[in-house]
Amino acid sequence: MRPANMTKLDTHIADLQTKLRQAESRKKDAIARQNAALKKKARQEDTRKKILVGSIVLKAFTRSNKPWPISELTSELDKELTRKDDRSLFSEWISIEKDNKD
């Protein structure tokens, strides 16, 4: 038979172990949230960069006073854009239907 104070000690240890597991779980969750937030911010920044660069390029290509090799742009658009919805955004420069010459 165990003394009463040992039983209390065992109970206290079990309680502390439970609290430790809970704290570790909260820490793991917090780290996961932080990593998700960092990834989201990186994706947002990447999207913003693309929008800004695209805006600058489109503005430069639509200006008539600056000689840009539009054939290079249309060639790249035609090569890279495969979805009909994406291609339709650039229908003034490329056909909406993908030409499957490859």
Side-chain angles (χ1 to χ4, degrees):
M1 190 161 150
R2 298 182 77 160
N5 63 348
M6 286 301 288
T7 305
K8 284 184 181 181
L9 189 56
D10 289 340
T11 303
H12 185 66
I13 290 171
D15 290 344
L16 290 175
Q17 288 173 333
T18 300
K19 288 179 181 180
L20 177 61
R21 282 192 301 276
Q22 290 171 344
E24 287 171 343
S25 179
R26 285 191 304 272
K27 179 182 176 184
K28 183 179 172 185
D29 291 345
I31 290 170
R33 281 192 306 275
Q34 184 180 25
N35 288 339
L38 290 172
K39 286 179 184 179
K40 181 180 179 182
K41 182 173 173 48
R43 283 191 311 272
Q44 287 174 332
E45 289 174 354
D46 184 56
T47 299
R48 182 77 179 138
K49 285 179 188 177
K50 290 173 184 174
I51 290 169
L52 292 171
V53 168
S55 174
I56 291 166
V57 169
L58 283 173
K59 190 174 184 180
F61 271 93
T62 55
R63 286 186 185 152
S64 59
N65 63 347
K66 194 167 187 178
W68 281 80
I70 196 153
S71 61
E72 289 181 30
L73 175 64
T74 57
S75 174
E76 286 299 312
L77 288 172
D78 193 40
K79 183 172 54 173
E80 296 295 328
L81 299 178
T82 56
R83 292 182 51 225
K84 191 174 183 176
D85 290 347
D86 294 340
R87 293 180 69 81
S88 68
L89 293 172
F90 299 94
S91 62
E92 62 197 69
W93 292 329
I94 61 173
S95 69
I96 294 174
E97 297 298 324
K98 176 76 172 151
D99 202 12
N100 292 324
K101 295 178 210 172
D102 302 324

